[in-house]
Amino acid sequence: MNLTKNTCRAAAAALTVPLLLFTAACGSDDGKGSSGAAVVKVEGKAGAQPKITVPKGAKPADTAVTKTLIKGDGAVVKKGDLVRLDFSAETMKGQKLGSTWTPQPGSKKGGPRTQVVSEVTDQMTQQMLPPKVLTAVAGQKVGSRFEVEGTAKALIGEGLNPQSGIKPGDGLVWVVDVVGAQKVDKKAQAEGAQASPESGMPEVKAPDGKAATITVPKGEQAPKDLKEQVLIKGKGREVKAGDGLIAQYTGVKWEDGKKFDSSWDHGGATAFQIGTGQVVQGWDKALVGKHVGDRVEIVIPPKLGYGASPQHELAKNTLVFSVDIVGTV
């Protein structure tokens, strides 16, 4: 189980990249993009949707070619950092593959855009960006724009889904803006005196280095509306819609008190874009406006959880989360 809407953990299915481009299984790739001669022309400033032009007769390289188009003046991204990215991708034949500048269904005009929030790692654990594109983020500076181009075989490799209609020899290009980056301690937790649970709220005990234990009050009916309580008040910056929220969390079902997910089960603190529909509505509603350092308990009714997806295993459950906000990207 995960908070987002994709089968691969921490991937954001609401992004416009067609999932058919990748095979269903999450694979891995430890290859790095190489420097070389890029044939694609890219115009536009960092932060604005790029214009991608492919010269007539241009042929894609049979290796991943990475080119920095605009050098930012922010921190250098390192392997293991959590990053927030904008991207635009298409084939060299002009077929659009997705863009964070494309409004998402149901998004509010003028609201924050859906962006990629990911960890820079050699292990490809999600399907928003091909392995060679994601690993090319390392070494770039925040504020930079770079491109990665090459054949589908070079960029995606064995993960290319033949049903996508894209052949291994077809050229692909990805233009990526590095919006933010943050190094995070995977074992980070909220610190400070914890408040007692309010009437009707479950009890939370969060030992150091372990998933929180959440005890649902016996005999209490699950609330029909969203309930939340700040258990530890942090002193960090306010979380805004569109941020990459770095969180340590544990979730249990109200009905039986059983844990269904925890960041501790996946290596520790992880990041999600908040306030843009990338996570369940209960998270968006409860966590935007909170502060880094907060520990927040959230009780989410099905209508703000997975109730809109009848086939989901938790569609009928009320969800209880303990969330430590340990940073933002």
Side-chain angles (χ1 to χ4, degrees), residues 147-164:
E147 68 163 303
V148 180
E149 61 177 72
T151 62
K153 181 179 179 180
L155 268 60
I156 302 175
E158 296 180 358
L160 179 65
N161 188 348
Q163 296 182 353
S164 67

mmCIF file of all heavy atoms in Angstrom, residues 147-164:
data_model
loop_
_atom_site.group_PDB
_atom_site.id
_atom_site.type_symbol
_atom_site.label_atom_id
_atom_site.label_comp_id
_atom_site.label_asym_id
_atom_site.label_seq_id
_atom_site.Cartn_x
_atom_site.Cartn_y
_atom_site.Cartn_z
ATOM 1 N N GLU A 147 18.968 18.554 -20.417
ATOM 2 C CA GLU A 147 18.226 17.621 -21.271
ATOM 3 C C GLU A 147 18.955 16.290 -21.316
ATOM 4 O O GLU A 147 20.172 16.216 -21.141
ATOM 5 C CB GLU A 147 18.050 18.166 -22.692
ATOM 6 C CG GLU A 147 19.349 18.263 -23.483
ATOM 7 C CD GLU A 147 19.116 18.405 -24.985
ATOM 8 O OE1 GLU A 147 18.439 17.520 -25.567
ATOM 9 O OE2 GLU A 147 19.636 19.382 -25.563
ATOM 10 N N VAL A 148 18.180 15.242 -21.528
ATOM 11 C CA VAL A 148 18.729 13.919 -21.771
ATOM 12 C C VAL A 148 18.038 13.387 -23.020
ATOM 13 O O VAL A 148 16.802 13.392 -23.100
ATOM 14 C CB VAL A 148 18.484 12.963 -20.581
ATOM 15 C CG1 VAL A 148 19.084 11.591 -20.883
ATOM 16 C CG2 VAL A 148 19.078 13.524 -19.296
ATOM 17 N N GLU A 149 18.823 12.968 -23.997
ATOM 18 C CA GLU A 149 18.237 12.439 -25.226
ATOM 19 C C GLU A 149 18.955 11.163 -25.643
ATOM 20 O O GLU A 149 20.070 10.871 -25.196
ATOM 21 C CB GLU A 149 18.292 13.471 -26.347
ATOM 22 C CG GLU A 149 19.703 13.904 -26.731
ATOM 23 C CD GLU A 149 19.705 14.885 -27.892
ATOM 24 O OE1 GLU A 149 19.303 16.053 -27.683
ATOM 25 O OE2 GLU A 149 20.124 14.476 -29.003
ATOM 26 N N GLY A 150 18.311 10.415 -26.498
ATOM 27 C CA GLY A 150 18.860 9.153 -26.974
ATOM 28 C C GLY A 150 17.735 8.237 -27.403
ATOM 29 O O GLY A 150 16.551 8.610 -27.385
ATOM 30 N N THR A 151 18.078 7.037 -27.791
ATOM 31 C CA THR A 151 17.042 6.075 -28.185
ATOM 32 C C THR A 151 16.278 5.596 -26.952
ATOM 33 O O THR A 151 16.754 5.699 -25.822
ATOM 34 C CB THR A 151 17.659 4.861 -28.888
ATOM 35 O OG1 THR A 151 18.549 4.199 -27.964
ATOM 36 C CG2 THR A 151 18.434 5.262 -30.139
ATOM 37 N N ALA A 152 15.097 5.067 -27.202
ATOM 38 C CA ALA A 152 14.309 4.499 -26.108
ATOM 39 C C ALA A 152 15.071 3.366 -25.438
ATOM 40 O O ALA A 152 15.007 3.193 -24.216
ATOM 41 C CB ALA A 152 12.965 4.007 -26.638
ATOM 42 N N LYS A 153 15.821 2.609 -26.215
ATOM 43 C CA LYS A 153 16.616 1.521 -25.652
ATOM 44 C C LYS A 153 17.678 2.069 -24.708
ATOM 45 O O LYS A 153 17.929 1.513 -23.639
ATOM 46 C CB LYS A 153 17.273 0.710 -26.768
ATOM 47 C CG LYS A 153 18.114 -0.459 -26.256
ATOM 48 C CD LYS A 153 18.733 -1.239 -27.418
ATOM 49 C CE LYS A 153 19.589 -2.393 -26.908
ATOM 50 N NZ LYS A 153 20.191 -3.158 -28.032
ATOM 51 N N ALA A 154 18.295 3.193 -25.105
ATOM 52 C CA ALA A 154 19.353 3.784 -24.281
ATOM 53 C C ALA A 154 18.801 4.402 -23.001
ATOM 54 O O ALA A 154 19.417 4.303 -21.939
ATOM 55 C CB ALA A 154 20.110 4.838 -25.082
ATOM 56 N N LEU A 155 17.629 5.044 -23.080
ATOM 57 C CA LEU A 155 17.097 5.756 -21.925
ATOM 58 C C LEU A 155 16.279 4.868 -21.000
ATOM 59 O O LEU A 155 16.301 5.045 -19.778
ATOM 60 C CB LEU A 155 16.229 6.934 -22.378
ATOM 61 C CG LEU A 155 16.955 8.280 -22.524
ATOM 62 C CD1 LEU A 155 18.083 8.194 -23.538
ATOM 63 C CD2 LEU A 155 15.969 9.374 -22.906
ATOM 64 N N ILE A 156 15.539 3.921 -21.578
ATOM 65 C CA ILE A 156 14.630 3.104 -20.772
ATOM 66 C C ILE A 156 15.107 1.667 -20.650
ATOM 67 O O ILE A 156 14.884 1.005 -19.639
ATOM 68 C CB ILE A 156 13.200 3.142 -21.361
ATOM 69 C CG1 ILE A 156 12.720 4.599 -21.414
ATOM 70 C CG2 ILE A 156 12.246 2.285 -20.547
ATOM 71 C CD1 ILE A 156 11.384 4.779 -22.078
ATOM 72 N N GLY A 157 15.772 1.181 -21.676
ATOM 73 C CA GLY A 157 16.305 -0.176 -21.630
ATOM 74 C C GLY A 157 15.217 -1.233 -21.616
ATOM 75 O O GLY A 157 14.196 -1.108 -22.301
ATOM 76 N N GLU A 158 15.410 -2.259 -20.809
ATOM 77 C CA GLU A 158 14.477 -3.379 -20.774
ATOM 78 C C GLU A 158 13.118 -3.000 -20.186
ATOM 79 O O GLU A 158 12.163 -3.753 -20.305
ATOM 80 C CB GLU A 158 15.081 -4.532 -19.960
ATOM 81 C CG GLU A 158 16.340 -5.127 -20.588
ATOM 82 C CD GLU A 158 16.895 -6.265 -19.759
ATOM 83 O OE1 GLU A 158 16.317 -6.557 -18.689
ATOM 84 O OE2 GLU A 158 17.908 -6.856 -20.180
ATOM 85 N N GLY A 159 13.054 -1.827 -19.561
ATOM 86 C CA GLY A 159 11.787 -1.391 -18.983
ATOM 87 C C GLY A 159 10.807 -0.839 -20.000
ATOM 88 O O GLY A 159 9.674 -0.512 -19.658
ATOM 89 N N LEU A 160 11.225 -0.712 -21.279
ATOM 90 C CA LEU A 160 10.331 -0.197 -22.306
ATOM 91 C C LEU A 160 9.193 -1.171 -22.559
ATOM 92 O O LEU A 160 9.412 -2.353 -22.823
ATOM 93 C CB LEU A 160 11.105 0.050 -23.606
ATOM 94 C CG LEU A 160 10.283 0.572 -24.789
ATOM 95 C CD1 LEU A 160 9.735 1.961 -24.485
ATOM 96 C CD2 LEU A 160 11.139 0.592 -26.062
ATOM 97 N N ASN A 161 7.987 -0.682 -22.482
ATOM 98 C CA ASN A 161 6.802 -1.503 -22.713
ATOM 99 C C ASN A 161 6.508 -1.571 -24.211
ATOM 100 O O ASN A 161 6.228 -0.541 -24.832
ATOM 101 C CB ASN A 161 5.606 -0.906 -21.967
ATOM 102 C CG ASN A 161 4.381 -1.808 -22.013
ATOM 103 O OD1 ASN A 161 4.332 -2.772 -22.760
ATOM 104 N ND2 ASN A 161 3.391 -1.475 -21.206
ATOM 105 N N PRO A 162 6.540 -2.749 -24.813
ATOM 106 C CA PRO A 162 6.282 -2.853 -26.258
ATOM 107 C C PRO A 162 4.886 -2.404 -26.649
ATOM 108 O O PRO A 162 4.651 -2.015 -27.799
ATOM 109 C CB PRO A 162 6.497 -4.354 -26.537
ATOM 110 C CG PRO A 162 6.338 -5.028 -25.213
ATOM 111 C CD PRO A 162 6.838 -4.055 -24.204
ATOM 112 N N GLN A 163 3.944 -2.428 -25.691
ATOM 113 C CA GLN A 163 2.579 -2.003 -25.995
ATOM 114 C C GLN A 163 2.438 -0.489 -26.091
ATOM 115 O O GLN A 163 1.381 0.022 -26.464
ATOM 116 C CB GLN A 163 1.629 -2.537 -24.923
ATOM 117 C CG GLN A 163 1.539 -4.063 -24.883
ATOM 118 C CD GLN A 163 0.550 -4.559 -23.835
ATOM 119 O OE1 GLN A 163 0.021 -3.781 -23.054
ATOM 120 N NE2 GLN A 163 0.318 -5.859 -23.821
ATOM 121 N N SER A 164 3.488 0.246 -25.761
ATOM 122 C CA SER A 164 3.427 1.702 -25.831
ATOM 123 C C SER A 164 3.453 2.208 -27.265
ATOM 124 O O SER A 164 3.105 3.361 -27.530
ATOM 125 C CB SER A 164 4.594 2.319 -25.072
ATOM 126 O OG SER A 164 5.830 2.030 -25.721
#
